[in-house]
């Protein structure tokens, strides 16, 4: 195994020292549960272990499962974005995960994340709670979505500029989400939430995954936004912005590619509709995946950004697709400026496909 990148070694040394200092000051390990998923064959539990000065503070806010008339639109809380990043992750912490009364032991990774796949469990299809407990610390509940093996339809959605827009240049989005005064300045993309709800209502039990290059620190913020604006509940597949064993930053495009292929392996019976936007790399990433796995992709839906949004996204007034070689897509590619237009086209296509 090659030597870890210098950036990873520096980060690990800093985190290790911080862990010792905070633990010496009486800070307590606490779990933060994120939404996981699975099938009757496996369950993937996601979470994080942090050090907390206030044991009684609220940890995560697991999403409920909004559908149709059950959706409640509420005013957004005014939560300062930088708070999500002011965390002290606990490295290599022993963790116990309780799934349907069975204990499973694991450890957090170098950034405090917990990502455990357990084969053989007693959870029927539907939504369930599992418990994540750091040894000697405070537990938290994580939601897991178990997909019925009879389900043949699923959605994968990008987040930035697909369901959420910030009207900021893409290089500044990370800084904006970190230091913005409140979450209020993020806006919905028209028609996307109704489109997802109606497509899932047409396919009972079908899952939706929100796949993004955003940081796991923003998971609670995103869950609040999605729930308050009526988006269906589903696992977030985010990433860690920190250094890796190979460089200063991990590749967001590679994260999306790896996640898509993992979903195809985990749910081989499902055919996916992939939804993204034409502001960055979604058309190529989705197109490459459809080329490699045309058997599991029913359609690609691309939300077309306005001229202003294109400029803010990458500096040009047109989609960057126009500057890449045109490749014939093995699956239908539908385009519209919002969810209303995409829904009309998708419904017609899905009805034609049968």
């Amino acid at each position: 195994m090659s030597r870890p990148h210098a950036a990873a070694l520096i980060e690990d040394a800093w985190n290790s020292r911080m862990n010792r200092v905070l633990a010496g000051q009486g800070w307590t390990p606490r779990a933060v549960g994120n939404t996981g998923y699975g099938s009757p064959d496996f369950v993937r539990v996601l979470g994080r272990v942090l050090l907390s000065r206030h044991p009684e503070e609220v940890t995560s806010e697991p999403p409920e499962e909004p559908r149709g008339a059950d959706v409640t639109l509420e005013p957004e809380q005014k939560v300062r974005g930088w708070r999500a990043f002011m965390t002290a992750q606990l490295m290599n912490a022993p963790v116990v995960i309780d799934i349907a009364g069975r204990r499973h032991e694991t450890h957090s990774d170098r950034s405090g994340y917990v990502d455990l796949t357990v084969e053989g469990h007693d959870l029927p299809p539907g939504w369930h709670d599992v418990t994540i407990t750091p040894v000697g610390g405070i537990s938290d509940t994580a939601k897991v979505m178990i997909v019925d093996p009879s389900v043949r339809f699923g959605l994968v959605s990008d987040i930035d500029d697909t369901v959420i827009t910030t009207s900021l240049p893409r290089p500044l989005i990370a800084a904006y989400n970190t230091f913005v005064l409140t979450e209020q300045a993020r806006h919905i993309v028209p028609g996307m939430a109704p489109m997802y709800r109606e497509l899932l209502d047409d396919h009972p039990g079908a899952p939706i995954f929100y796949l993004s290059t955003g940081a796991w620190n923003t998971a609670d913020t995103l869950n609040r936004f999605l729930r308050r604006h009526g988006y269906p509940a589903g696992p977030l597949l985010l990433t860690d912005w920190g250094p890796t064993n190979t460089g200063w930053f991990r590749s967001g495009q590679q994260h999306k590619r790896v996640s898509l292929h993992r979903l195809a392996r985990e749910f081989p019976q499902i055919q996916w509709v992939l939804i993204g936007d034409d502001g960055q790399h979604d058309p190529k990433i989705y197109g490459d995946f459809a080329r490699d796995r045309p058997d599991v992709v029913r359609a690609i839906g691309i939300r077309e950004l306005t001229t202003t949004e294109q400029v803010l996204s990458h500096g040009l007034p047109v989609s960057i697709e126009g500057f890449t070689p045109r490749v014939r897509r093995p699956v239908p590619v539908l385009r519209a400026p919002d969810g209303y237009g995409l829904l009309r086209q998708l419904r017609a296509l899905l009805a034609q496909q049968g």
Side-chain angles (χ1 to χ4, degrees):
M1 185 175 177
S2 61
R3 177 180 172 83
H5 191 272
L9 294 175
I10 293 171
E11 183 186 48
D12 287 351
W14 167 259
N15 287 336
S16 179
R17 178 174 176 78
M18 182 173 62
N19 286 173
R20 290 195 300 270
V21 171
L22 295 180
Q25 296 294 318
W27 287 45
T28 305
R30 65 176 178 91
V32 176
N34 294 316
T35 305
Y37 63 92
S39 73
D41 298 323
F42 77 95
V43 60
R44 184 183 183 189
V45 180
L46 300 170
R48 201 177 192 191
V49 180
L50 306 174
L51 283 170
S52 172
R53 182 172 55 182
H54 305 292
E56 71 282 0
E57 69 182 77
V58 176
T59 54
S60 66
E61 191 176 359
E64 298 173 359
E65 187 184 8
R67 284 288 190 274
D70 295 331
V71 174
T72 300
L73 302 183
E74 305 170 1
E76 291 187 63
Q77 284 183 323
K78 293 187 176 181
V79 179
R80 297 174 187 272
W82 59 267
R83 289 183 179 275
F85 290 81
M86 297 296 103
T87 58
Q89 59 266 30
L90 186 56
M91 303 171 58
N92 305 315
V95 175
V96 175
I97 296 177
D98 187 298
I99 304 174
R102 295 184 181 180
R103 289 166 52 92
H104 304 271
E105 297 181 357
T106 186
H107 285 77
S108 62
D109 68 10
R110 50 183 293 272
S111 296
Y113 293 102
V114 175
D115 186 346
L116 177 67
T117 299
V118 175
E119 296 181 354
H121 58 80
D122 298 322
L123 300 177
W127 287 89
H128 302 276
D129 293 339
V130 302
T131 303
I132 303 174
T133 307
V135 174
I138 304 163
S139 63
D140 191 30
T141 298
K143 294 283 187 182
V144 292
M145 175 189 64
I146 303 300
V147 180
D148 193 293
S150 65
V151 170
R152 297 291 184 268
F153 178 88
L155 294 173
V156 174
S157 172
D158 178 44
I159 295 180
D160 279 318
D161 289 331
T162 301
V163 302
I164 294 173
T165 180
T166 55
S167 298
L168 279 177
R170 185 61 63 96
L172 297 182
I173 285 179
Y176 173 81
N177 290 341
T178 305
F179 300 110
V180 68
L181 181 62
T182 72
E183 299 169 10
Q184 298 285 80
R186 309 198 82 182
H187 306 288
I188 61 171
V189 174
M192 299 304 285
M195 177 181 75
Y196 292 159
R197 293 199 306 270
E198 292 191 30
L199 288 175
L200 295 185
D201 286 342
D202 291 342
H203 300 84
I208 181 170
F209 290 85
Y210 296 96
L211 175 59
S212 172
T213 59
W216 274 112
N217 300 67
T218 64
D220 278 354
T221 298
L222 291 173
N223 276 326
R224 285 193 296 268
F225 182 95
L226 295 172
R227 184 172 60 254
R228 290 189 179 113
H229 290 285
Y231 285 91
L236 300 176
L237 300 179
L238 307 178
T239 188
D240 178 16
W241 281 350
T244 70
N245 287 335
T246 59
W248 284 96
F249 300 101
R250 64 196 65 229
S251 168
Q253 294 182 51
Q254 184 64 13
H255 162 67
K256 284 192 170 184
R257 292 191 179 97
V258 169
S259 296
L260 288 170
H261 282 283
R262 177 168 183 165
L263 290 175
R265 293 193 305 271
E266 292 173 330
F267 303 102
Q269 80 282 8
I270 291 181
Q271 290 190 311
W272 301 93
V273 172
L274 311 178
I275 308 294
D277 64 83
D278 65 355
Q280 289 284 323
H281 304 286
D282 287 344
K284 176 170 174 50
I285 293 171
Y286 289 167
D288 290 347
F289 177 67
R291 179 199 62 206
D292 296 338
R293 296 297 307 269
D295 56 316
V296 300
V297 182
R298 293 190 68 171
I300 296 172
I302 299 297
R303 185 236 163 186
E304 296 175 313
L305 273 62
T306 65
T307 300
T308 299
E309 289 173 326
Q310 293 286 4
V311 172
L312 293 173
S313 180
H314 51 74
L316 297 173
V318 295
S319 170
I320 59 176
E321 283 187 275
F323 299 90
T324 58
R326 288 192 174 274
V327 179
R328 183 178 179 275
R329 306 302 187 197
V331 300
V333 179
L334 311 177
R335 299 172 181 275
D338 55 38
Y340 301 114
L342 284 174
L343 178 60
R344 287 192 296 270
Q345 296 180 56
L346 279 170
R347 278 207 156 143
L349 175 66
L350 296 176
Q352 180 182 351
Q353 291 177 340

